[in-house]
Amino acid sequence: MSETSIKDFEAALAELDGLVRKLEEGDLPLEQSLALYERGVQLSRFCHARLEDAERRIEVLTDRGELKAAPAALSGEDPERR
């Protein structure tokens, strides 16, 4: 299976979750475990790339719209803990 067979972020994440469960059970032959692990790496890379793309798009929109981060008092963060 190649990365092109991955439909979207949500599908990749769901498949990755299923693979992790199967691998955690530990009842698979070595070759099957390796194949699932390889697929998991593909899915993980796909998800990571989509998240980076989304982050870049948000940064562009934020820059264009001149949106600023909420002050710590509004965001629930304690500025003393930084």
Side-chain angles (χ1 to χ4, degrees), residues 44-61:
S44 177
R45 288 179 180 163
F46 177 88
C47 289
H48 184 74
R50 293 298 111 18
L51 288 173
E52 284 182 338
D53 290 345
E55 184 177 5
R56 280 192 294 275
R57 289 176 64 191
I58 289 169
E59 287 172 358
V60 167
L61 292 171

Side-chain angles (χ1 to χ4, degrees), residues 3 6 9 15 17-18 20-21 30 34 40 42 45 51 57-58 62 65 72 74 77 79 81:
E3 194 171 295
I6 302 171
F9 178 82
E15 185 179 345
D17 185 51
V20 169
R21 287 186 198 163
L30 179 60
L34 286 173
Q42 288 177 339
R45 288 179 180 163
L51 288 173
R57 289 176 64 191
I58 289 169
T62 300
L74 294 178
E77 291 182 21
R81 293 194 296 185

Side-chain angles (χ1 to χ4, degrees), residues 3-53:
E3 194 171 295
T4 57
S5 67
I6 302 171
K7 292 182 180 183
D8 57 30
F9 178 82
E10 290 77 13
L13 201 56
E15 185 179 345
L16 184 58
D17 185 51
L19 291 178
V20 169
R21 287 186 198 163
K22 286 179 185 177
L23 288 168
E24 285 178 341
E25 289 174 4
D27 296 333
L28 301 171
L30 179 60
E31 287 303 314
Q32 188 176 359
S33 293
L34 286 173
L36 291 178
Y37 183 82
E38 287 177 20
R39 179 62 176 167
V41 169
Q42 288 177 339
L43 293 165
S44 177
R45 288 179 180 163
F46 177 88
C47 289
H48 184 74
R50 293 298 111 18
L51 288 173
E52 284 182 338
D53 290 345

